[in-house]
Amino acid sequence: MTATPIAADAGARRATTGLAVRQIRLGALLLLAVAAGAPAMVAGTYERVTSDPAALAGLGALAGNAAIRTIFGEPIALDEAGGFTVWRLGTVLGAILAVWAVVATTRVTRGEEDHGRWDVLLAGRLPLRQVLFRHLMVIASVPVVAGAAIMVVLLVFGGSDSAGAVVHGAGMALLGLFAAALAALTAQIFSARTAATGTAIAILGAGLLARMAADGVPALGRLRWLSPFGLLEISSAYDRNRVSPLLVLAAATALLYVAVAVVCGRRDVGGGLLPAAAGRRPRLGLLDTVEAFAVRRLLGPLAAWSAGIGAYFLVIGLTSMSLTGFLSDNRVFADRAAQAGFVGLATVQGFVAALFALLAMPVGAFTAVRLGAFMAAESDRRLTLVAAQPLSRLRLLGAETAATLAGAMLLLAVAAVGAWAGVSIVGGDLTLTAALAGTFNALPIVLLCLGAALLAAGLRPSAVIHIGPVPATGGFLLKVIADSSGAPAWVSDLSPYRHTAAVPLVGADWPGVLVMGAVAVVLATAGTSAYLRRDLTG
């Protein structure tokens, strides 16, 4: 007995939805863990942080510091655990959620379409618009659940203002939905995933910079209404609990989804609203060897990562004197930071050393993303003809690894130059040599990320992007949770951040550097061996 058309359509819709769930489930679970765990940790430690009356008085002084407002946003309702948590984590979690939404959306829509994997789906009963929105529906559920998780955590730990928890949770969900809609629109406009992802990230980055400028310069305050991050901030959770900014964000999000539906119906499958350039002159540079080609593939992404990291550390340098001056006047914060392992924050060298240590997270993610792109080329069979040539697979992997490592080192240097330039502009005391020493102090953790990514490339190629950043991101979370919960010392010692010194404030921890370097070599060797023994995927 044959299935009815209605039953066949229903089965196709369920299969398409299941495919989308399968493609994002691991990243979604990690995102939800961070979205729920980070606010719980910060809110749970609020009473201990503010138990000292001097600390509570110092929190009020935060509102008057332009550098603090520029980086974290305007401090409001700091007398409640929920308000403090929103101020401390709102921008960071919002950026993480937005970037995840953009990358996931372009990967499972434009990326899958470009690689021809949607050809089979679209040969069935479902048209392009239905396939697209089935995927978007699954992606959109993740920010909604993340916002709900944040709201529940704030209801439990954030104090008596339940309206503040609801406003902030709803705002975070809307921010993720906006980012996903923006990425879906760029994926319809551009015919390449890299262009779609880069454009969406650039727009969100411009919005974040607009929010920072509005907070740092009161005369530019109205810019918040033009930024999704600014709209989230002026909703004033735990203070005025304004709904109107969230309505503006919801309206903008709805318009983007409408635009996606319209543009989707005006383009061909596999193409974009903007056609790819035709008749372009051939570009033959860096095509003579696999090593040169690895560099060529790296240049575009490296430029984008360099711009983002360089701009961030330039801002850090520009605000360094204001922040260190604030900490000098409010010693209780500097003392508590020292207890948490961040010593010397009242000096420029100590302040930049603390932020240079965190540089391992974005640069470690860069190494994982680049090796993940190499594994994607393998699974999409773009490496098949190259591997069939008289070239060893060791040379192919070695070329990609060497180019990735060189790119990571360049990112460390860009961060150093950005911080040095910013500090120099405001008249601070930081030499370029000291800045370079501070950023390259994060190199051992970056090497651990590269080693973890290579291990995943050999054992589970599809998980390279997820496993590679674990030493940096997971190590940082482990250290923070262990220090906040009073866990045994050996638990905290498992984090690589426990074995890095505050360079350039003090000298490098060379035993720790050597041990982490040795572990990275072991991981890389094991991963390379496994890669050479397994078959090509795809």
Side-chain angles (χ1 to χ4, degrees):
M1 182 175 179
T2 60
T4 65
I6 295 177
D9 287 349
R13 288 193 292 269
R14 286 194 299 270
T16 302
T17 303
L19 173 64
V21 171
R22 181 175 179 178
Q23 289 174 322
I24 70 166
R25 59 187 177 184
L26 179 57
L29 289 175
L30 293 174
L31 177 69
L32 293 176
V34 173
M41 181 182 64
V42 173
T45 58
Y46 174 76
E47 293 296 334
R48 181 166 58 86
V49 171
T50 59
S51 59
D52 187 347
L56 191 58
L59 283 175
L62 289 171
N65 187 272
I68 293 287
R69 292 198 308 270
T70 299
I71 296 176
F72 295 106
E74 182 181 1
I76 57 174
L78 298 182
D79 56 342
E80 288 193 66
F84 177 79
T85 304
V86 168
W87 169 73
R88 183 64 183 84
L89 290 177
T91 298
V92 175
L93 280 183
I96 292 173
L97 181 59
V99 169
W100 180 90
V102 167
V103 173
T105 300
T106 56
R107 178 171 62 87
V108 304
T109 58
R110 171 53 60 187
E112 294 296 296
E113 189 175 342
D114 285 351
H115 295 155
R117 298 194 186 103
W118 275 18
D119 292 350
V120 176
L121 287 176
L122 298 176
R125 306 185 67 90
L126 299 183
L128 174 61
R129 185 178 284 120
Q130 282 198 38
V131 172
L132 173 63
F133 273 88
R134 282 275 157 180
H135 283 73
L136 293 181
M137 178 182 66
V138 173
I139 294 171
S141 67
V142 178
V144 172
V145 175
I150 293 171
M151 180 187 69
V152 170
V153 169
L154 292 177
L155 286 172
V156 174
F157 298 102
S160 59
D161 188 358
S162 58
V166 174
V167 167
H168 186 64
M172 293 293 286
L174 285 171
L175 177 61
L177 291 173
F178 176 88
L182 176 63
L185 181 59
T186 59
Q188 307 313 302
I189 294 175
F190 298 99
S191 58
R193 177 188 170 189
T194 53
T197 304
T199 302
I201 293 291
I203 293 173
L204 289 174
L208 181 57
L209 290 176
R211 196 281 299 162
M212 296 173 71
D215 285 322
V217 183
L220 301 177
R222 293 185 182 275
L223 285 178
R224 295 189 188 96
W225 288 93
L226 302 178
S227 163
F229 297 96
L231 291 169
L232 180 62
E233 179 183 307
I234 59 179
S235 65
S236 301
Y238 288 93
D239 184 23
R240 289 177 290 176
N241 295 324
R242 302 173 64 188
V243 177
S244 56
L246 300 186
L247 294 177
V248 173
L249 184 56
T253 302
L255 287 175
L256 285 174
Y257 280 111
V258 171
V260 170
V262 172
V263 175
C264 178
R266 296 177 178 271
R267 68 175 181 87
D268 295 329
V269 175
L273 185 65
L274 296 179
R280 185 177 62 185
R281 295 176 58 186
R283 296 178 297 172
L284 304 179
L286 298 177
L287 290 177
D288 50 338
T289 64
V290 292
E291 291 80 10
F293 185 57
V295 173
R296 172 171 169 154
R297 294 176 63 246
L298 179 74
L299 292 179
L302 181 61
W305 283 80
S306 297
I309 289 177
Y312 178 79
F313 277 91
L314 176 63
V315 172
I316 291 300
L318 291 172
T319 58
S320 60
M321 295 298 291
S322 178
L323 283 168
T324 53
F326 169 79
L327 291 171
S328 297
D329 297 334
N330 296 269
R331 295 299 306 177
V332 64
F333 285 104
D335 293 341
R336 289 189 178 276
Q339 294 173 9
F342 297 102
V343 296
L345 286 185
T347 65
V348 171
Q349 289 80 5
F351 172 68
V352 297
L355 293 171
F356 285 159
L358 304 182
L359 182 61
M361 286 189 280
V363 179
F366 167 81
T367 64
V369 168
R370 293 314 307 157
L371 284 181
F374 181 68
M375 291 298 103
E378 177 185 323
S379 64
D380 296 339
R381 301 180 182 178
R382 284 175 281 152
L383 284 182
T384 303
L385 293 178
V386 178
Q389 300 299 314
L391 296 169
S392 67
R393 290 175 63 189
L394 178 61
R395 183 178 174 185
L396 290 175
L397 182 63
E400 195 69 26
T401 302
T404 299
L405 179 58
M409 296 175 70
L410 181 60
L411 289 179
L412 296 176
V414 166
V417 172
W420 166 74
V423 172
S424 299
I425 290 172
V426 296
D429 181 19
L430 180 69
T431 65
L432 180 58
T433 302
L436 288 169
T439 57
F440 275 83
N441 186 53
L443 182 60
I445 304 179
V446 174
L447 292 176
L448 287 175
C449 293
L450 182 60
L454 285 169
L455 184 63
L459 300 177
R460 191 170 181 181
S462 61
V464 168
I465 294 179
H466 303 297
I467 294 176
V470 167
T473 305
F476 178 75
L477 292 175
L478 175 63
K479 179 181 180 298
V480 171
I481 293 172
D483 291 344
S484 301
S485 62
W490 66 268
V491 175
S492 183
D493 287 341
L494 295 175
S495 169
Y497 290 90
R498 292 287 293 178
H499 308 287
T500 57
V503 181
L505 183 64
V506 298
D509 181 358
W510 289 111
V513 168
L514 294 176
V515 169
M516 285 189 284
V519 173
V521 170
V522 171
L523 292 174
T525 302
T528 301
S529 177
Y531 173 78
L532 296 178
R533 290 199 305 270
R534 70 168 175 82
D535 294 331
L536 289 175
T537 60

